[in-house]
Amino acid sequence: MSTALGHLKVLDLTRILAGPWATQALADMGAEVIKVERPVVGDDTRAWGPPFLKDGDGRETTDSSYFLAANRGKKSITVDLAHPDGQALIRDLAAGADVVVENYKVGTLARYGLDYDSLKAVNPRLVYCSITGFGQDGPYAALPGYDFVFQGMGGLMSITGQPEGTPGDEPMKVGIAISDLLTGMYATTAILAALEHRHVSGQGQHIDMSLLDCVVGISSYQAINHFLSGKVPRRMGNAHSNMVPYQVFRCKEGDVIVAVGNDGQYRAFCKVIGREDLAADERYATPGQRNRNRETLIPAIAQAMLARTMHDWVALMEAANVPCGPIYNMQQMFEDPHVQHRGMRLSLPHSAGVQAPAVANPIRLSETPIQYGRSAPLLGEHTDSVLAGLGLAPERIARLRAAKAI
């Protein structure tokens, strides 16, 4: 069975999460992804545990859950980019690649002759994606940064968490490294767009991806709320800035998410909770009115929700086509029958001799479905075979290894 990107070769010079997340998506869709890692230590996230994958004898490997999450389906080679021979190897690999993805600090790869302009001279059709914290230009371009920093600077934490003046009201980050993951997703989209442009023009190009830009970019309707109203959006806990009722409600037992998005759903919801008077009340007749008068509407709904358990409410609302849902932990989420039906939990073969857990790519393609091969590679697992593919004899590879270039 064919894959969507099986004709592409990707040279992955990234580490941590944003870059590897992008290249993993390309690998999932069939691209050959060659991950270049530092000799001996490899990608930083290999050591970001516990937990670590255990081999067939129950001993911990050097691969953390973090590394496994973002590097499946890739080949790993070790190359020292600071070594002249290592730089030559990267140029040789780039000459035959379709895509290069890197996330070094601005200017680092230029010192090694591995920046876009240098590799473009070797391969004019190359799509070269640079991922940094602040982008390739601007007053902060030279600064490093991690996800947490960009969740704060990008405004995301200012609208996440409990309202000011309530218990636990500090700004709150998202429970995953959302800046990295978003940037990886945007980078994948940009790479595919650049490849499509190359398809019609024959030209490669440079892509400049910034974690800060991506977080600012997803401010979406909250930013427009600010532009139109002049008001600074604030933290609202689990409530929604524009839609009401759209939040968590405490039940007789447990909590339930109610996500009403239009007037029909609102009327159905009011009927389910036995408060049809709230549907008839002009103060709550439209989304705008419900938003303006949430201070009186929400307490009335909250009182009604205490009459039944979370499971009771979910069953009643689902039957009435009112958007709702439980709040799962990770174990409960993967035990849900629908999540299981969609095949979101994977078990992939790992070179440590065991099956490694993974989470499926959510993309579903009818003609070129994603085909999962292997879990994340061992450090340098494919160095010899990849270099042999460049025409290097075993003796030459041995000399490079002795010189610590690989």
Side-chain angles (χ1 to χ4, degrees):
M1 188 179 296
S2 63
T3 59
L5 304 180
H7 56 293
L8 297 178
K9 180 177 288 188
V10 178
L11 185 58
D12 181 358
L13 306 182
T14 70
R15 65 267 191 237
I16 314 298
L17 187 54
W21 195 252
T23 53
Q24 177 173 265
L26 298 175
D28 283 347
M29 290 184 279
E32 179 187 4
V33 177
I34 300 172
K35 182 179 179 70
V36 179
E37 302 187 66
R38 291 176 297 169
V40 183
V41 294
D43 188 315
D44 292 353
T45 61
R46 286 186 181 271
W48 285 12
F52 293 94
L53 180 71
K54 293 182 179 179
D55 64 19
D57 295 322
R59 296 171 299 194
E60 286 189 344
T61 70
T62 57
D63 289 349
S64 72
S65 56
Y66 216 107
F67 181 80
L68 294 176
N71 291 284
R72 66 169 169 258
K74 304 178 185 179
K75 298 177 179 178
S76 171
I77 68 172
T78 55
V79 179
D80 182 358
L81 301 190
H83 195 289
D85 289 340
Q87 296 159 14
L89 290 175
I90 297 301
R91 282 190 283 272
D92 288 344
L93 287 167
D98 297 282
V99 178
V100 168
V101 188
E102 61 91 7
N103 61 349
Y104 284 83
K105 289 177 63 177
V106 174
T108 297
L109 293 186
R111 296 199 302 271
Y112 300 152
L114 301 176
D115 57 315
Y116 173 63
D117 288 336
S118 299
L119 296 187
K120 178 184 177 182
V122 175
N123 181 358
R125 290 173 52 83
L126 192 64
V127 171
Y128 188 110
C129 180
S130 296
I131 298 174
T132 55
F134 296 97
Q136 297 295 302
D137 51 43
Y140 304 151
L143 297 178
Y146 280 91
D147 166 84
F148 200 175
V149 172
F150 302 111
Q151 289 199 40
M153 289 189 69
L156 184 59
M157 291 176 64
S158 75
I159 56 173
T160 305
Q162 293 302 314
E164 292 182 30
T166 62
D169 66 349
E170 66 176 315
M172 192 66 59
K173 70 179 182 69
V174 179
I176 54 173
I178 193 68
S179 307
D180 286 304
L181 298 172
L182 281 169
T183 304
M185 293 166 65
Y186 272 121
T188 303
T189 302
I191 289 165
L192 295 176
L195 287 168
E196 182 61 17
H197 177 261
R198 189 185 74 175
H199 177 70
V200 297
S201 70
Q203 297 177 336
Q205 61 182 297
H206 185 220
I207 300 167
D208 173 7
M209 297 298 307
S210 154
L211 270 72
L212 180 60
D213 289 354
C214 290
V215 178
V216 173
I218 64 155
S219 59
S220 60
Y221 62 85
Q222 287 281 31
I224 307 306
N225 285 345
H226 168 58
F227 296 152
L228 292 180
S229 70
K231 298 178 181 178
V232 176
R234 301 294 185 185
R235 296 188 298 281
M236 299 179 65
N238 287 314
H240 194 287
S241 62
N242 295 58
M243 292 193 289
V244 179
Y246 198 100
Q247 62 185 74
V248 174
F249 288 99
R250 178 60 45 87
C251 306
K252 183 178 180 179
E253 180 181 301
D255 302 296
V256 66
I257 295 169
V258 176
V260 168
N262 59 48
D263 291 337
Q265 292 171 355
Y266 176 66
R267 289 190 293 270
F269 171 68
C270 290
K271 185 176 181 179
V272 166
I273 67 173
R275 291 299 306 269
E276 291 178 271
D277 58 305
L278 297 177
D281 194 319
E282 286 299 316
R283 292 176 298 171
Y284 317 128
T286 67
Q289 285 295 90
R290 292 193 288 277
N291 196 2
R292 293 185 184 96
N293 295 297
R294 68 169 68 217
E295 289 77 10
T296 54
L297 176 59
I298 293 302
I301 293 174
Q303 183 62 39
M305 297 299 291
L306 293 173
R308 296 179 183 270
T309 69
M310 178 270 287
H311 293 292
D312 291 340
W313 283 130
V314 168
L316 290 168
M317 285 190 280
E318 285 181 346
N321 289 317
V322 176
C324 66
I327 300 173
Y328 286 153
N329 60 34
M330 285 290 166
Q331 178 177 329
Q332 292 168 328
M333 180 260 288
F334 282 108
E335 290 173 346
D336 183 274
H338 189 84
V339 175
Q340 291 184 349
H341 172 82
R342 298 291 289 178
M344 291 304 296
R345 179 170 179 171
L346 302 176
S347 180
L348 302 176
H350 190 277
S351 295
V354 295
Q355 294 291 116
V359 179
N361 191 311
I363 294 172
R364 300 291 193 270
L365 298 167
S366 65
E367 302 304 317
T368 54
I370 289 173
Q371 300 174 44
Y372 300 101
R374 299 189 65 81
S375 181
L378 296 172
L379 178 60
E381 180 178 345
H382 305 94
T383 301
D384 287 18
S385 61
V386 169
L387 296 186
L390 287 176
L392 276 67
E395 297 78 12
R396 172 61 174 155
I397 296 173
R399 288 196 296 272
L400 289 170
R401 187 166 280 117
K404 298 184 178 180
I406 60 175

